[in-house]
Amino acid sequence: METLIKEKKILIIDDEEDILRLLSTVLTKEGFKNIHTAETGVKGLELFDSVRPDIIILDIMLPDKEGYEVCKKIRETSNVPILFLSAKTEEMDRILGFALGGDDYITKPFSPKEVFYRIKAQLRRNIITVKDKKTLSFGPFEIKEDEMEVLKNGVNLELKPKELKLFLYLAKNPNKIISKERICDEVWGEEYIGFDNTIMVHIRRLREKVEDDPSKPKYIVNVKGLGYKLNVEGE
């Protein structure tokens, strides 16, 4: 993990100089050698394009635009882990952050050490192997997008087209909480209204095919009040 840390690029976007300095100092001491900082959303997006960071720490309250807007823009082209940093502690703020594609939500005031360990956790979870442009592999699964196949321990699970599309979408967003709204938009191409039962039925049927015990799912996990995530570690 230490070697992994040295190679990873971190982008911190926050308008408070003290926070930028504190996090940069602590993360450098913990082994990160490639840390970039920005005090505005515009500068953060510019650095994102030029640096292509491996993980982003993003403040919600920025002077020029909200962190939510920055996150949404990044999600148009990248699944890089995004950790929101915010003084907002309301549940709806957290839900919005996850719905827009955030991977974690840290409230101020915070412990710099906690931020470090959350970063390590995100890096550790990003373990899906891309064998080629159209094949993903993790745990006992291999997803062949071109062939429209999902194998578990080498056996074809024979998923229906919508089940495969749903599983593939979750697999392309490993260990990320995906809201039902985003699932509906990305998998069905429709607005969420009226689709709640449809999504639950497809999740249930998918679990029956991919889980060892559908009654105790360890891969497709429900995060109460927020959505679903694919736990690629299966723990």
Side-chain angles (χ1 to χ4, degrees), residues 14-15 59-63 65-67 85-88 108:
D14 197 298
D15 63 332
D59 186 21
I60 290 178
M61 301 299 291
L62 296 170
K65 57 178 63 183
E66 279 198 325
L85 202 60
S86 177
K88 295 184 175 183
K108 299 178 180 180

Side-chain angles (χ1 to χ4, degrees), residues 13-52:
I13 308 174
D14 197 298
D15 63 332
E16 296 184 48
E17 291 186 14
D18 289 344
I19 287 180
L20 293 178
R21 190 181 306 111
L22 175 62
L23 287 176
S24 296
T25 300
V26 171
L27 294 177
T28 297
K29 288 182 178 179
E30 294 293 347
F32 288 100
K33 304 300 182 184
N34 206 334
I35 301 172
H36 303 264
T37 62
E39 296 181 8
T40 67
V42 170
K43 180 63 175 177
L45 288 172
E46 290 175 354
L47 282 174
F48 166 72
D49 287 331
S50 61
V51 173
R52 307 309 293 181

Side-chain angles (χ1 to χ4, degrees), residues 16-223:
E16 296 184 48
E17 291 186 14
D18 289 344
I19 287 180
L20 293 178
R21 190 181 306 111
L22 175 62
L23 287 176
S24 296
T25 300
V26 171
L27 294 177
T28 297
K29 288 182 178 179
E30 294 293 347
F32 288 100
K33 304 300 182 184
N34 206 334
I35 301 172
H36 303 264
T37 62
E39 296 181 8
T40 67
V42 170
K43 180 63 175 177
L45 288 172
E46 290 175 354
L47 282 174
F48 166 72
D49 287 331
S50 61
V51 173
R52 307 309 293 181
D54 296 291
I55 195 161
I56 298 173
I57 301 172
L58 176 60
D59 186 21
I60 290 178
M61 301 299 291
L62 296 170
D64 55 342
K65 57 178 63 183
E66 279 198 325
Y68 295 138
E69 186 180 349
V70 175
C71 176
K72 191 173 181 180
K73 184 66 176 177
I74 291 171
R75 282 290 174 257
E76 291 178 2
T77 59
S78 173
N79 285 321
V80 59
I82 297 176
L83 284 69
F84 278 117
L85 202 60
S86 177
K88 295 184 175 183
T89 59
E90 296 296 324
E91 182 180 12
M92 283 308 300
D93 294 311
R94 296 172 61 88
I95 291 175
L96 179 58
F98 286 121
L100 290 175
D103 299 282
D104 205 345
Y105 194 103
I106 304 168
T107 56
K108 299 178 180 180
F110 59 86
S111 162
K113 272 283 190 179
E114 179 186 0
V115 175
F116 166 66
Y117 282 113
R118 292 198 185 206
I119 289 173
K120 282 187 67 175
Q122 288 296 329
L123 293 176
R124 190 183 302 114
R125 289 169 182 166
N126 192 20
I127 60 174
I128 283 192
T129 301
V130 181
K131 290 191 173 181
D132 54 53
K133 291 183 178 179
K134 293 295 182 180
T135 303
L136 300 179
S137 178
F138 65 94
F141 299 100
E142 185 172 63
I143 305 174
K144 299 181 178 181
E145 190 170 357
D146 278 346
E147 289 86 348
M148 296 289 289
E149 290 182 349
V150 175
L151 308 179
K152 182 178 181 182
N153 295 319
V155 178
N156 190 349
L157 296 181
E158 298 184 356
L159 302 184
K160 293 182 178 181
K162 197 65 70 176
E163 294 168 349
L164 187 143
K165 189 173 182 180
L166 174 57
F167 195 52
L168 179 63
Y169 177 63
L170 293 174
K172 288 183 176 180
N173 295 273
N175 296 298
K176 296 178 181 178
I177 301 173
I178 310 295
S179 69
K180 292 180 181 178
E181 289 83 355
R182 284 187 65 202
I183 290 174
C184 190
D185 180 59
E186 296 291 338
V187 178
W188 275 267
E190 302 282 350
E191 291 191 7
Y192 173 64
I193 298 174
F195 267 79
D196 186 71
N197 187 61
T198 299
I199 293 172
M200 288 192 295
V201 168
H202 278 76
I203 289 289
R204 187 189 75 237
R205 290 175 178 170
L206 187 55
R207 281 173 170 165
E208 289 173 353
K209 297 179 180 180
V210 305
E211 299 284 355
D212 298 325
D213 182 354
S215 66
K216 298 178 181 179
K218 61 181 182 178
Y219 294 108
I220 304 174
V221 180
N222 177 44
V223 183

